[in-house]
Amino acid sequence: MTKAPDPYCALVLQPAFKNVRSRAEIMENIENVSLLIDIAVWMAETELPIRLIAIPEGVLQGFADEIFDMKHSDYLKTIAIDIPGPEVAMLARKAKQYNTYIVCQARGTDNKIKGYYFNWAFVIDPNGEVIHKAAKHQVYYKEPSTTPH
C-alpha cells in the first residue's frame, strides 16, 4: 500500500505584473513575484511546509501579444522565452530555496518546432528542474500563440 504524503500547504499567488515589450523586462516581473514568494512563504509556513506554489498565467510576460496585437514573428524574436532558460532559472532558485514545486506559465519556444511559440504551463521541482511542460491546447481567439493541434 502506498503511503499518503505528509500534510503540506499550497500557495496560489496573484501578483501585479506589467505587459512587457522585451525579454529584459520579464526579469522585473520575476523579481516582483520572487519577493511575493518570500513574503507569502514567511506568512504561510507556520504549521505546515509549503510544498506547492502556483503562479497564474501572464505573470512573467503579461499579455503583450494580445494587447499590443503583436505579430507572431515579432513576439517570438523579442519576448518568447526558452523553458528552461534564464528566466525560469530565477524561479528554479526559489523552488530550491523553499524545497517546493512551482507551477507557472509562460509563452515560449519549442526547440523541435522552430519559428513558433506556445503558451506553456510548466512545473519546477524542488531541485530546480523543469519536470513537466505542456502547451495550451485551446487559445483565446486573439491569442496568437501556437497550439499543438
Side-chain angles (χ1 to χ4, degrees):
M1 179 173 236
T2 305
K3 180 186 178 288
D6 292 334
Y8 66 91
C9 188
L11 293 175
V12 178
L13 305 178
Q14 188 60 55
F17 58 88
K18 72 185 230 178
N19 293 299
V20 303
R21 292 188 180 263
S22 71
R23 271 184 213 96
E25 292 178 330
I26 295 170
M27 292 303 185
E28 184 180 328
N29 283 341
I30 293 173
E31 287 168 7
N32 289 338
V33 81
S34 293
L35 179 59
L36 183 59
I37 288 171
D38 293 339
I39 294 165
V41 168
W42 178 79
M43 291 180 71
E45 196 170 49
T46 56
E47 295 179 27
L48 296 173
I50 306 299
R51 297 294 291 143
L52 176 66
I53 298 172
I55 302 167
E57 181 177 20
V59 169
L60 300 189
Q61 298 151 309
F63 300 97
D65 53 351
E66 298 168 31
I67 292 169
F68 305 131
D69 200 23
M70 294 181 75
K71 288 198 290 186
H72 190 91
S73 57
D74 292 341
Y75 191 93
L76 183 64
K77 283 186 246 173
T78 59
I79 301 174
I81 64 171
D82 295 328
I83 303 168
E87 297 83 6
V88 175
M90 288 183 70
L91 293 172
R93 284 194 286 281
K94 288 294 169 191
K96 288 201 267 191
Q97 177 182 351
Y98 293 114
N99 190 35
T100 190
Y101 291 85
I102 295 179
V103 178
C104 197
Q105 173 279 339
R107 292 182 173 148
T109 59
D110 183 335
N111 60 11
K112 295 178 203 147
I113 305 172
K114 304 289 185 200
Y116 296 93
Y117 70 92
F118 295 82
N119 188 336
W120 294 107
F122 58 95
V123 179
I124 304 168
D125 75 7
N127 297 316
E129 301 294 322
V130 174
I131 59 166
H132 181 72
K133 185 169 118 173
K136 192 173 185 181
H137 283 258
Q138 185 69 35
V139 296
Y140 172 60
Y141 77 97
K142 291 187 73 94
E143 185 179 334
S145 56
T146 307
T147 62
H149 65 278

